[in-house]
């Protein structure tokens, strides 16, 4: 039932495919309240992650996530770079050199990812950022794991909560990142980073089924 | 030489902006290495972790580096780069206005300031320059007591520390404009002395270029230089000598 390095790489590839597919949508969301580069940034980063994984598969899930982290940090070029990068890096570090991930490890990895994003960006729930998707996702994942869910169930719970969390940013005033310069004018728009977080987690969950 | 001075790194979303800020700051501080790290490798707008890491790594040798950034991901990218250094303490990231902060930091670094002094100089460039008004009780009290010691030229200040004072009538064309103000601040930056320059009711910290410029002292104005601290007399002597040379105009 556990996920080995190969499965984790597959899950990441699914995330990359989803980002590529929704690139234009993410760009449009970022055009409304930012600088129209979120889709471009993330797609550049995930394409590089996939290329890196094609070049050779590391041995452990943690090592796969670390390749993703360092590649995203180097290639994304916007706020999503340090934020997604730190998320993957913290998850990788927490998972150590385990060869397979069980449900508890998936939940722990997600928690570490959230802690990393918060440490890096200092955003709280309600600031209309990717934290609004990731924080409820982590809580849902932990509940699913406590209820005896397998890794796929944990990711499915995370994905569902992330989607709701992303939608919850629509009525909010952005308080972090570029959109915060708009103040009240950011109300009425979904946050691009929260939306991409929900999309990526959705793809992870789908691929893990 | 550059190894002994703190270096600066300017992190921006735009290559041209980073280059421009570095250019303007370097003009005020010929011996300080100011390294721009702006834009994406393809010339686009964004922040490039690898370029920032290379710049910070290069600048953080010797006396270390102070890093300034424009906004958003530039701060986060700078933080990640500094955390990746073999010695993260070698670089300090400051939250400061980019242009004014870079200039103030460059002048401080040129004067031999250490990392924390250079970082403080950048931060102090935020908001309005430090100008005391006579209406502010504390500021005017200090100014008045220095003024009372005037006639003796150099005298002990009320707290017992060494003090010195001089009156200078500005003869150079532009008065205490940017360049002369930078020269003045730089000339005393390494001295152990608290140096003030006042014009009428306003006074300025003589180690802060912006504070000096905010006096808007012009040709023909008479300013009062007061100093306290161990090297107070040296400080006043240097400022006087600089003014006598018409700020090398
Ligand atoms: N401080 C922060 N904390 C958490 N998330 C943030 C923060 N700043 C930005 N974000 C997230 O990043 C998303 C934007 O990512 P994007 O890649 O478009 O970066 P950007 O804002 O254009 O970057 P830059 O700061 O370089 O302009 C936002 O929608 C938000 O979810
Ligand atoms: Mg953007």
């Amino acid at each position: 039932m556990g996920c080995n390095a190969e499965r984790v790489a597959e899950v990441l590839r699914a995330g990359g495919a989803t980002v590529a597919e929704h690139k234009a949508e993410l760009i449009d969301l970022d055009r409304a309240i930012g600088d129209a580069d979120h889709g471009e940034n993330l797609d550049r980063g995930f394409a590089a992650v996939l290329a890196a994984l094609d070049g050779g598969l590391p041995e452990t899930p943690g090592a796969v996530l670390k390749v993703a982290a360092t590649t995203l940090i180097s290639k994304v070029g916007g706020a999503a770079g340090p934020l997604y990068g730190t998320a993957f890096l913290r998850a990788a570090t927490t998972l150590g050199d385990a060869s397979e991930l069980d449900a508890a490890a998936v939940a722990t990895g997600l928690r570490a990812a959230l802690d990393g994003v918060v440490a890096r960006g200092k955003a709280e729930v309600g600031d209309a950022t990717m934290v609004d998707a990731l924080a409820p996702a982590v809580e849902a994942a932990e509940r699913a794991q406590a209820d005896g869910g397998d890794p796929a169930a944990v990711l499915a719970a995370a994905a569902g909560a992330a989607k709701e969390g992303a939608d919850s940013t629509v009525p909010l005033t952005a308080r972090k990142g570029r959109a915060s310069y708009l103040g009240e004018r950011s109300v009425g728009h979904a946050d691009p980073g929260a939306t991409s977080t929900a999309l990526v987690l959705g793809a992870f969950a789908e691929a893990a089924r | 030489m550059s190894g002994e001075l703190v270096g600066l790194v300017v992190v921006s979303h735009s290559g041209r902006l980073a280059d421009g800020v570095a250019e303007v700051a370097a003009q005020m501080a010929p011996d300080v290495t100011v390294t721009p790290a702006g834009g994406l490798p393809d010339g686009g707008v964004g922040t490039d972790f690898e370029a920032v890491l290379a710049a910070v790594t290069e600048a953080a040798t010797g006396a270390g580096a102070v890093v300034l950034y424009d906004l958003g991901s530039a701060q986060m990218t700078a933080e990640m780069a500094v955390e990746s250094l073999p010695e993260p303490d070698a670089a300090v990231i400051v939250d400061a206005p980019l242009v004014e902060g870079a200039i103030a930091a460059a002048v401080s670094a040129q004067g031999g300031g250490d990392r924390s002094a250079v970082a403080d100089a950048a931060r102090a460039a935020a908001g309005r320059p430090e100008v005391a008004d006579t209406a502010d009780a504390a500021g005017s009290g200090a100014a008045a007591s220095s003024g009372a010691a005037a006639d003796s030229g150099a005298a002990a200040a009320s707290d017992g520390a060494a003090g010195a004072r001089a009156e200078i009538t500005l003869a150079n064309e532009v008065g205490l404009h940017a360049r002369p103000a930078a020269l003045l601040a730089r000339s005393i930056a390494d001295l152990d002395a608290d140096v003030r320059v006042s014009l009428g009711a306003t006074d300025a910290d003589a180690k802060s270029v912006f504070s000096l410029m905010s006096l808007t002292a012009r040709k023909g104005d008479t300013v009062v230089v007061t100093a306290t601290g161990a090297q107070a007399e040296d400080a006043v002597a240097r400022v006087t000598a600089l003014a006598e040379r018409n700020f090398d105009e």
Side-chain angles (χ1 to χ4, degrees), chain B residues 27 47 52 73 95 99 134 152 157 178 185 196 204 224 238:
Chain B
Q27 203 190 14
T47 51
V52 174
S73 67
D95 180 10
V99 179
T134 5
S152 48
R196 315 289 305 179
V224 180
R238 285 191 194 177

Side-chain angles (χ1 to χ4, degrees), chain A residues 8 61-66 69 83-97 101 105-117 204:
Chain A
V8 172
V64 171
L65 292 176
K66 187 154 183 213
L83 292 165
Y84 270 80
T86 304
F88 281 106
L89 198 57
R90 290 285 187 98
T93 309
T94 309
L95 299 175
D97 47 18
L101 306 183
V106 172
T108 308
L110 285 169
R111 169 64 67 184
L114 171 64
D115 289 348
V117 169
F204 286 0

Side-chain angles (χ1 to χ4, degrees), chain A residues 26 30-31 33-39 41 78-80 178 192:
Chain A
L26 293 172
D30 198 26
R31 179 174 295 115
I33 56 169
D35 53 355
D37 65 357
H38 186 60
N41 286 343
R178 214 171 251 278

Side-chain angles (χ1 to χ4, degrees), chain B residues 166-186:
Chain B
E167 280 185 16
I168 295 171
T169 300
L170 298 171
N172 63 315
E173 279 308 318
V174 298
L176 279 184
H177 197 57
R179 196 183 142 278
L183 286 173
L184 196 164
R186 201 192 292 162

